[in-house]
Amino acid sequence: LDGLAENGVRLTDFHVSPTCAPTRAALLTGRYNDVTGVWHTVFGRNQLRQDEITMADVFKHNGYATGLFFKWHLGDNYPFRPKDRGFDYVAWTKGGGVGQSPDYWGNLNTRASIWVNDVVVEMENEDDGIEGAFTTNFFFNRAMEWMKEHIGDNQPFFAYIPTATAHGPHHMPPDARPGIRAFAATVENIDKNMGRLMQFLEDEGIADNTILIFTTDNGSSTHLRGGKGSFYDGGTRVPCFVRWPAGNLGGEGKGRDVTPLTAHFDWLPTFMDILGLEDVPNRPAHLPIHGQSFKAFLDADPGNDPGPAYKDRTVVISNMRTENIEKFKEVSVKKDVWEGEQMTRKWRLCRKSVADDGELYDAMADEKQRTDLIGDPAFAEVVDELKKAYEAWWVLVEERADEYTRIIIG
């Protein structure tokens, strides 16, 4: 991963939702996750509404093979399964983590029964260069087998490999170094598998013309304020590395930073923009894409202007985690301020609940969000603007919030 970061395009202000299922919903639809019915990881509030259109649907419409490998967490039953949502090939565990109640009984990361296209396969130690059987190894193996098949058929593919590791439970990988904790060993195992994937792409001769992206689905314990489940940047700002040498995105000695605000729901419109993908026919008017393409930042000319619509936008990210929506519940409203081609501010309006007035931070000058500017009259207009953006977002969320996603039986 260090090598991918060094030789890739690094989105240094890339944001996701504070927990896993909401991030996946936004990433796959290009829409605010709360609007898709996904604002929690349980209570059925992790099931992506049946009428939503996914990234897999769009790629499939454009002739790509589509494969899902490992964690889905947007619904375990019809009509919410990955095979119902545009994926041709599905190898997965159910629920939010290996061994959770929807998953196969008794599953561990070191011993598991796994659904591969609806057939239960017993995980085994494979000849993959990594000692022992482990879920991450298994799913990367299946992904590379599947990719090789489509490389042979000369068919473009979209491989979505969202690991359920290093989500708990933390089981010690057989290849772990002596004296290391299971969590750290799991991260190292993911790193090894990313290395295997990158070498596979090289060996198959497609590394230069394959878009390879690494990111995560929530924040963690870093120097930033907050962590997983937090509406501060520590819960939402995550690594995002992109490599596509044939598209002038990274390559040996060509790593660079992209510093403007980007987010999970921007990837679908960005793919559509840089690859010339058509949207699915007759997209319903009530399912507009909310994200915006950041192609201008990825172009070979870093000075390209993304235009006023992108520069003036706000991004709202919440940590609702309730059965029913609650206004002002753990939310961050994010906005860059530009003067010409230069960013001068990175505003964050944070609010924990309806009971407080919120907090204002400039994350460009105050990355750790320690100096609250909410009471400074010099920034009263900024606060008003961000509050209005939140209210506009809330209208979108509230419109269908009383709908429950229903599992269909029979």
Side-chain angles (χ1 to χ4, degrees):
L1 286 172
D2 285 348
L4 178 60
E6 182 180 355
N7 295 302
V9 174
R10 301 171 292 269
L11 306 183
T12 62
D13 197 24
F14 182 76
H15 290 262
V16 297
S17 301
T19 56
C20 39
T23 289
R24 292 154 200 270
L27 173 71
L28 287 172
T29 63
R31 290 163 42 78
Y32 279 117
N33 57 274
D34 308 81
V35 176
T36 71
V38 180
W39 58 78
H40 205 336
T41 57
V42 292
F43 297 145
R45 299 307 194 184
N46 62 296
Q47 296 182 153
L48 186 67
R49 286 196 187 110
Q50 186 177 2
D51 60 347
E52 290 290 338
I53 297 165
T54 72
M55 187 180 290
D57 292 322
V58 174
F59 274 105
K60 190 172 182 177
H61 171 65
N62 286 270
Y64 285 69
T66 54
L68 178 282
F69 306 89
F70 213 165
K71 179 176 174 177
W72 173 244
H73 205 193
L74 292 174
D76 301 312
N77 303 284
Y78 177 81
F80 309 110
R81 303 163 299 179
K83 74 174 188 177
D84 307 317
R85 313 313 297 262
F87 287 98
D88 303 317
Y89 183 105
V90 178
W92 63 321
T93 55
K94 298 184 180 182
V98 171
Q100 289 187 356
S101 55
D103 200 18
Y104 200 93
W105 181 259
N107 268 1
L108 307 172
N109 282 309
T110 52
R111 185 192 72 240
S113 300
I114 297 165
W115 288 276
V116 179
N117 294 327
D118 293 332
V119 176
V120 176
V121 175
E122 298 296 324
M123 186 174 70
E124 298 178 346
N125 184 14
E126 302 180 64
D127 184 17
D128 53 20
I130 300 182
E131 178 186 350
F134 200 66
T135 50
T136 311
N137 307 345
F138 177 91
F139 286 104
F140 271 80
N141 290 341
R142 301 293 78 74
M144 288 185 280
E145 288 174 353
W146 177 82
M147 284 185 266
K148 190 174 183 68
E149 176 185 339
H150 291 288
I151 292 167
D153 294 339
N154 200 30
Q155 182 181 16
F157 58 81
F158 167 56
Y160 177 46
I161 315 175
T163 67
T165 51
H167 192 289
H170 304 305
H171 303 123
M172 187 67 73
D175 62 307
R177 293 184 289 115
I180 193 171
R181 293 184 303 125
F183 175 77
T186 300
V187 173
E188 290 190 358
N189 176 270
I190 294 171
D191 187 74
K192 289 178 185 178
N193 277 288
M194 282 296 298
R196 292 176 58 224
L197 175 60
M198 293 166 69
Q199 188 60 54
F200 167 81
L201 298 175
E202 291 285 352
D203 294 344
E204 294 296 321
I206 64 168
D208 282 355
N209 202 28
T210 298
I211 302 174
L212 178 63
I213 300 167
F214 174 85
T215 189
T216 72
D217 60 358
N218 53 248
S220 186
S221 300
T222 66
H223 66 290
L224 300 173
R225 183 174 179 180
K228 178 177 180 177
S230 171
F231 55 98
Y232 295 110
D233 276 14
T236 68
R237 182 179 156 197
V238 301
C240 189
F241 311 138
V242 189
R243 190 191 71 178
W244 181 26
N248 294 311
L249 303 182
E252 192 68 32
K254 296 182 180 178
R256 59 185 172 88
D257 291 339
V258 168
T259 58
L261 175 65
T262 51
H264 44 14
F265 66 174
D266 293 330
W267 266 117
L268 177 55
T270 300
F271 282 142
M272 295 170 72
D273 199 4
I274 63 178
L275 296 174
L277 303 179
E278 293 181 354
D279 199 358
V280 296
N282 303 314
R283 174 181 285 272
H286 71 282
L287 299 177
I289 292 175
H290 299 133
Q292 294 191 37
S293 170
F294 49 82
K295 176 185 176 182
F297 302 129
L298 299 178
D299 196 274
D301 179 3
N304 282 352
D305 193 316
Y310 193 102
K311 285 183 173 182
D312 195 46
R313 74 167 183 164
T314 55
V315 173
V316 182
I317 292 181
S318 72
N319 186 44
M320 200 86 68
R321 292 190 68 80
T322 51
E323 181 177 359
N324 300 305
I325 61 171
E326 293 182 19
K327 196 170 186 181
F328 304 121
K329 173 82 163 53
E330 298 189 17
V331 65
S332 175
V333 185
K334 308 174 190 294
K335 180 180 174 62
D336 288 346
V337 175
W338 295 72
E339 292 184 4
E341 294 185 358
Q342 299 297 317
M343 281 183 298
T344 58
R345 301 275 192 180
K346 282 185 171 293
W347 290 120
R348 309 286 193 259
L349 178 65
C350 301
R351 190 164 179 178
K352 186 173 180 60
S353 71
V354 70
D356 69 72
D357 294 327
E359 307 158 27
L360 180 69
Y361 302 97
D362 176 7
M364 179 173 282
D366 178 23
E367 187 179 37
K368 297 183 180 180
Q369 295 175 285
R370 291 176 172 171
T371 304
D372 181 7
L373 303 173
I374 195 75
D376 190 330
F379 304 119
E381 289 186 8
V382 172
V383 173
D384 287 344
E385 179 185 0
L386 297 179
K387 284 182 175 179
K388 288 177 182 177
Y390 174 83
E391 293 293 341
W393 171 84
W394 181 254
V395 170
L396 299 177
V397 175
E398 198 174 29
E399 185 176 357
R400 299 177 65 186
D402 61 344
E403 295 181 23
Y404 274 90
T405 51
R406 306 290 184 182
I407 295 169
I408 297 175
I409 301 174

